[in-house]
Amino acid sequence: MCTSSICVQCMFRCGVVCIHKQLPKLDLNITNKCNYSCVHCAFDSGVQIRDELSLDELDKILSDTKELGGERIDITGGEPTLRDDYHYVIMHAKEMGYNVELVTNASRLTRTSIDDLFHEGLDQVAISLDGSSPAIYNSIRRKDVQMFHHVKDMISYAARSDLRTKVNTVAFSINLNDIPRISQWCVDEGVDEHGIYFFTPIGRGNQHADLVTDPKKYLSVMREQVMPFGKWIKLSVEAPFLEENHGLGCIVHEDPYHLQILPDGLVYPCAILASYNLPIGNLRKESIKDIWLDEKRWDVYWNSLQPIFQKTGSCVALEGHGLFPVCPLRKFGGLQ
């Protein structure tokens, strides 16, 4: 029997009106415009400008997701602050009761806008920082020294305010040994969380596959040099490979909890599967309820992914390291 207290018309003829699975989280890409040209961008943002969902369409998505048990929205892009109405998206999501995170490169933030975001009810800002020096940061983000210092200033100001602050770092071969210094700086500045993500060569990253770091070295640095900072800061570390098979496979099949919404309304289970151009639905043709609650659709979709998984057992096409794949959506606060 279904015991969920969140009810919609059941699609599976079970004799009750219920939700068979809840949808707690959305990554809402509100624009594909970007003022950066980062080497690893999964969506090749700034180049392909998509037909963006309107504010009314976004409100419909938020409202429907709330009926499905929605709890958290990550507002991202592209660079979401390039969309003129991004403040309204935040405020509308807060009015509906969501926990809201803004994922940004911080290039357009100011101290005043950070204060405004706090007063609008934003729960967390997540800012990208991939190097402790301008040279390393700019080799990845392709900006200048002034922008590097601006981004650090915005992180420091946000961390000193009442706005929860997270730093996102993507790990490459060129910055792997620098990541402990970023963690130390985050601790010194009072940042609440440091998220570290293994570079997966998808989207624009396909052109820079030589920057993929060795997975074994990555795990070593994370365990020996980064995890000790967990005494002072929350760590959220991606580990798409481990030495033992823990059975931590694709969340799409095992425990879906999340959808990636692109600016044009195409829906994917995650950013990596978006890079394969295999949408599970289109919000300009159907509702998010239609997509999320259609179990047959998800079974067919999972079967369509098998050719991707058959070669390496993972959506991340890296071979020769002798490790077992782990779904990149899974994050770890500690690695044994």
Side-chain angles (χ1 to χ4, degrees):
M1 172 182 281
C2 179
T3 59
S4 171
S5 61
I6 302 172
C7 299
V8 295
Q9 182 61 45
C10 181
M11 299 172 63
F12 306 114
R13 301 176 183 176
C14 64
V16 296
V17 177
C18 66
I19 285 181
H20 284 254
K21 57 180 180 178
Q22 295 186 10
L23 174 56
K25 182 175 182 289
L26 290 184
D27 276 6
L28 197 57
N29 298 53
I30 62 173
T31 184
N32 203 51
K33 298 174 185 175
C34 193
N35 55 350
Y36 275 39
S37 56
C38 306
V39 298
H40 59 287
C41 183
F43 303 109
D44 204 14
S45 294
V47 175
Q48 180 183 359
I49 307 301
R50 301 176 186 268
D51 180 19
E52 295 174 357
L53 293 164
S54 68
L55 191 58
D56 286 342
E57 288 173 314
L58 292 172
D59 276 349
K60 170 66 172 170
I61 294 167
L62 292 173
S63 177
D64 285 351
T65 301
K66 178 54 68 173
E67 292 185 22
L68 293 171
E71 299 173 352
R72 174 173 166 176
I73 302 293
D74 287 4
I75 298 173
T76 182
E79 172 48 43
T81 64
L82 286 170
R83 180 161 168 157
D84 292 339
D85 57 4
Y86 84 95
H87 285 280
Y88 293 99
V89 181
I90 293 171
M91 290 188 289
H92 290 191
K94 288 305 300 177
E95 288 169 1
M96 295 182 196
Y98 283 102
N99 182 290
V100 182
E101 174 180 288
L102 178 68
V103 183
T104 174
N105 59 35
S107 62
R108 291 168 53 85
L109 294 184
T110 64
R111 296 186 176 199
T112 299
S113 68
I114 289 173
D115 291 340
D116 290 342
L117 288 167
F118 173 74
H119 292 301
E120 289 164 8
L122 184 70
D123 296 283
Q124 175 168 282
V125 62
I127 299 174
S128 301
L129 183 69
D130 307 297
S132 65
S133 70
I136 297 175
Y137 175 85
N138 293 327
S139 68
I140 296 164
R141 298 288 169 176
R142 295 171 163 176
K143 302 303 284 187
D144 54 27
V145 173
Q146 289 77 16
M147 185 59 74
F148 167 76
H149 290 297
H150 172 79
V151 169
K152 289 187 70 179
D153 183 57
M154 292 302 98
I155 294 170
S156 297
Y157 184 78
R160 292 193 300 270
S161 72
D162 292 322
L163 182 60
R164 191 175 190 281
T165 305
K166 179 183 178 184
V167 164
N168 286 338
T169 300
V170 181
F172 303 82
S173 59
I174 56 177
N175 74 338
L176 179 60
N177 292 325
D178 190 47
I179 292 177
R181 286 187 283 271
I182 301 173
S183 295
Q184 179 66 69
W185 182 82
C186 289
V187 170
D188 294 342
E189 295 299 310
V191 170
D192 296 284
E193 182 175 353
H194 190 192
I196 302 169
Y197 307 91
F198 188 92
F199 167 51
T200 303
I202 59 176
R204 189 181 300 140
N206 277 323
Q207 304 170 33
H208 305 280
D210 59 310
L211 297 180
V212 176
T213 190
D214 179 88
K216 292 182 179 179
K217 291 181 180 178
Y218 173 78
L219 290 174
S220 176
V221 170
M222 293 302 106
R223 287 170 174 149
E224 297 173 15
Q225 300 182 50
V226 173
M227 286 303 166
F229 289 105
K231 299 176 184 176
W232 303 285
I233 188 173
K234 180 179 178 180
L235 296 172
S236 180
V237 177
E238 186 177 277
F241 306 97
L242 290 173
E243 292 88 348
E244 297 181 20
N245 187 359
H246 295 279
L248 300 174
C250 180
I251 285 179
V252 174
H253 182 58
E254 297 179 7
D255 188 23
Y257 70 92
H258 158 281
L259 287 177
Q260 190 94 29
I261 313 298
L262 294 199
D264 56 2
L266 292 180
V267 180
Y268 298 87
C270 68
I272 291 180
L273 291 177
S275 72
Y276 290 101
N277 196 29
L278 292 172
I280 194 165
N282 184 341
L283 291 172
R284 287 219 159 106
K285 298 179 179 179
E286 55 198 335
S287 75
I288 202 162
K289 294 179 185 177
D290 294 332
I291 297 168
W292 186 250
L293 296 174
D294 188 346
E295 289 188 346
K296 182 178 180 181
R297 179 199 303 247
W298 282 88
D299 288 341
V300 170
Y301 188 80
W302 175 248
N303 289 332
S304 75
L305 298 179
Q306 295 316 296
I308 296 172
F309 288 92
Q310 283 172 356
K311 187 174 183 182
T312 62
S314 172
C315 58
V316 182
L318 298 175
E319 302 177 78
H321 46 65
L323 302 177
F324 292 93
V326 175
C327 177
L329 282 184
R330 303 177 188 273
K331 305 297 184 291
F332 299 87
L335 290 173
Q336 301 301 317

